[in-house]
Amino acid sequence: MSEVKTVSGRGIPLQGNDIDTDRIIPARFLRCVTFDGLGEQAFADDRQQMQGQHPFDLPQYQGANILVVNENFGCGSSREHAPQALSKWGIKALIGESFAEIFFGNCVAIGIPCVTASPEQVSQLQEALMNNPQGMLTLDLEALDARFDGLTLKVEMGAGPQQMLTTGTWDSCGQLVANREQIQATTGQLPYLAWA
């Protein structure tokens, strides 16, 4: 199973409240059979409207893997394609003021932590990332803090999701593989599997 205890890398500030899943991945891209290729289409309409000035297009944020957002990020429809698109773009964690509940759950289901901080702290971190886009940002899920360039933010996450990520139990396939022998032993005792 894949434990997620810390995520380190460069951060990308994305300012604005109520950024919904249709903005994260427009509906026309939902016809895909797999999630491969969705990363290229993350924020497709916003990026087109901003003519290369969207943070996902700016050269200083290429390769960044921690997204720093504002209030109610991921609201709107419940599409799981939104966290998948962010993941395929390279995002490994999100720090924000608040997240829509279903978006949050879809992120945890693929091992992407979403932690919250106060609006003041998020704004301070976004500003710091704009001033130093090459700086190293570290999110520590056990200490529940984020560290960047001398700045330390206390972050929050519910105890259940935090435990799922830090112990690796978010990974349902990994749990099955890790418990293969127990599963085989149990299925061997089920009478209806032995019927001829």
Side-chain angles (χ1 to χ4, degrees), residues 73-90:
F73 187 81
C75 57
S77 68
S78 60
R79 62 185 68 157
E80 63 182 318
H81 296 70
Q84 287 285 353
L86 295 175
S87 173
K88 298 300 182 194
W89 193 84

Side-chain angles (χ1 to χ4, degrees), residues 104-112 164 170-172:
F104 176 90
N106 285 337
C107 283
V108 172
I110 61 172
I112 297 178
M164 288 173 67
W170 68 269
D171 182 1
S172 54

Side-chain angles (χ1 to χ4, degrees), residues 1-8 65-66 91-94 107-115 138-144 157 159-171:
M1 293 182 292
S2 183
E3 297 174 350
V4 182
K5 295 184 177 181
T6 61
V7 179
S8 293
N65 63 347
I66 302 175
I91 298 300
K92 304 286 182 219
L94 288 92
C107 283
V108 172
I110 61 172
I112 297 178
C114 297
V115 299
T138 298
L139 172 62
D140 187 329
L141 289 181
E142 292 181 306
L144 285 177
M157 174 180 253
Q162 179 193 21
Q163 187 221 4
M164 288 173 67
L165 289 161
T166 58
T167 62
T169 57
W170 68 269
D171 182 1

Side-chain angles (χ1 to χ4, degrees), residues 92-167:
K92 304 286 182 219
L94 288 92
I95 300 170
E97 295 175 35
S98 62
F99 298 94
E101 187 176 351
I102 294 174
F103 175 85
F104 176 90
N106 285 337
C107 283
V108 172
I110 61 172
I112 297 178
C114 297
V115 299
T116 58
S118 71
E120 296 75 25
Q121 287 186 310
V122 168
S123 179
Q124 190 177 11
L125 180 56
Q126 287 175 328
E127 180 107 8
L129 290 169
M130 287 185 263
N131 292 331
N132 183 12
Q134 300 306 314
M136 186 62 61
L137 174 59
T138 298
L139 172 62
D140 187 329
L141 289 181
E142 292 181 306
L144 285 177
D145 65 24
R147 298 179 299 277
F148 179 77
D149 203 21
L151 178 67
T152 300
L153 286 71
K154 289 308 293 176
V155 298
E156 295 181 9
M157 174 180 253
Q162 179 193 21
Q163 187 221 4
M164 288 173 67
L165 289 161
T166 58
T167 62

